[in-house]
Amino acid sequence: MTFEPDELVRSRADLAGTLRALRRRAGISQTRLAARCNMSQTKISNIEGAKIVPALVDVELILAALDVPPELVADTVVLARRANTEWQDVWSQRRTGLEKKQNELAGLERSSTEFRYFLLSMVTGLLATPAYVRASLAHVPGDQSRAIARKLERQTVLYDTSKSFTFLLTEQAVRWPFLPRAAMAVQIDHLASVSRLPNVRLGVIPLAGHIPSAPLNTFTVYDARIATVETQTGAMVFRGHADVSAYLRDFAELRNAALFDQECRVWLNAWADRFRS
């Protein structure tokens, strides 16, 4: 399925209008529909008013309760998938301030307990040294000191033992020469240090063996409810069960190719030594 950014915004209002029209065509009230779906009338009202985006399972319950014809079910489910997908472009983030984006990520980190990161070509902010964080925002115009400070502050979540983190880094992500050689060695040493935290599993995928899959993007899965996928010009946020499940399956396959614990640190130490030599 192809998602156009403008369509993702319109689809939420379109979904609300479609569900409202289908209910009215069926000739039943919001209260009666809510009873059939085991939902509150307030939730049905908020869905039809586009105040909340219903999960796919909620949409399927509503369509079944309204006895909607199969061809309309298919079209509405497609619309629901689009409504459960969010596009965040980098230019909008810069206009509203990168500190706001850091606060949004901190909110996701507060509300989630299990985190899965696949890092294709760069180190994520939670694992970055101050030098790496500054370099990652150096290309953005203006003073980004507050965003840098917020990004570093978010790293404290790694020490919350009620949460668990799994990071999978390709060899390219670890070794990409994003900083001068001495600073890169420090960054890789930092990865080895974080890998010893009790609630963190940090694995590396060396380019030395057979890896049957070829992921195209960095992605993160929060619990089993949200997947974010990064591109050059923004990020897609998926909340639909089918999409999140697909990334969970990809993550599990990539995890099988990764090395953890002491095996991981052997590779990290060797890569850091190359930068030091």
Side-chain angles (χ1 to χ4, degrees):
M1 180 183 298
T2 300
F3 294 112
E4 295 293 336
D6 289 342
E7 288 182 3
L8 297 181
V9 176
R10 292 195 305 269
S11 63
R12 298 176 188 181
D14 292 344
L15 176 62
T18 297
L19 294 174
R20 184 171 59 249
L22 289 171
R23 177 184 59 77
R24 289 174 176 172
R25 193 172 83 167
I28 68 173
S29 66
Q30 288 184 348
T31 302
R32 188 177 171 194
L33 176 60
R36 288 185 179 183
C37 298
N38 197 26
M39 299 179 191
S40 69
Q41 185 273 331
T42 299
K43 181 174 182 178
I44 294 294
S45 177
N46 286 336
I47 289 172
E48 292 188 359
K51 293 180 180 178
I52 62 173
V53 179
L56 286 176
V57 64
D58 289 337
V59 173
E60 290 168 350
L61 282 171
I62 290 171
L63 296 176
L66 294 174
D67 197 22
V68 175
E71 61 274 12
L72 288 179
V73 169
D75 290 342
T76 308
V77 167
V78 169
L79 195 58
R81 283 197 64 196
R82 287 189 175 138
N84 275 275
T85 305
E86 179 183 349
W87 168 251
Q88 300 176 344
D89 67 86
V90 294
W91 300 283
S92 295
Q93 291 174 24
R94 292 177 188 177
R95 284 195 299 271
T96 58
L98 294 183
E99 186 183 3
K100 179 181 178 182
K101 175 63 177 177
Q102 294 304 311
N103 289 334
E104 290 175 356
L105 290 172
L108 274 175
E109 289 155 6
R110 282 193 300 272
S111 63
S112 306
T113 58
E114 186 172 4
F115 304 80
R116 301 171 180 87
Y117 293 80
F118 171 70
L119 305 171
L120 180 63
S121 59
M122 282 187 67
V123 171
T124 187
L126 291 184
L127 299 176
T129 62
Y132 201 100
V133 169
R134 287 193 294 270
S136 70
L137 297 178
H139 65 289
V140 181
D143 180 9
Q144 301 302 330
S145 58
R146 293 175 65 180
I148 291 169
R150 190 70 180 100
K151 200 167 190 176
L152 291 170
E153 182 184 335
R154 285 178 40 232
Q155 294 179 358
T156 59
V157 74
L158 293 175
Y159 300 91
D160 183 347
T161 54
S162 69
K163 301 178 186 292
S164 64
F165 299 84
T166 304
F167 298 94
L168 304 180
L169 297 91
T170 66
E171 180 176 340
Q172 175 175 289
V174 177
R175 296 182 61 192
W176 189 266
F178 196 59
L179 300 173
R181 295 182 66 85
M184 280 300 302
V186 172
Q187 172 60 66
I188 298 174
D189 287 341
H190 180 64
L191 295 177
S193 178
V194 172
S195 75
R196 296 181 182 276
L197 292 175
N199 57 324
V200 172
R201 293 204 76 208
L202 190 149
V204 296
I205 304 176
L207 300 176
H210 172 62
I211 306 172
S213 60
L216 300 177
N217 299 90
T218 286
F219 64 87
T220 306
V221 182
Y222 298 88
D223 296 327
R225 59 191 179 92
I226 297 175
T228 63
V229 182
E230 297 182 31
T231 73
Q232 186 70 18
T233 56
M236 301 286 285
V237 182
F238 296 97
R239 293 180 174 84
H241 175 73
D243 296 302
V244 175
S245 295
Y247 282 103
L248 285 172
R249 288 192 297 271
D250 288 348
F251 191 88
E253 185 175 356
L254 292 163
R255 185 175 54 209
N256 290 335
L259 302 176
F260 293 91
D261 302 319
Q262 190 55 35
E263 283 185 297
C264 166
R265 289 188 283 272
V266 166
W267 283 89
L268 290 174
N269 292 338
W271 293 334
D273 287 342
R274 291 187 187 183
F275 280 108
R276 274 188 281 266
S277 64

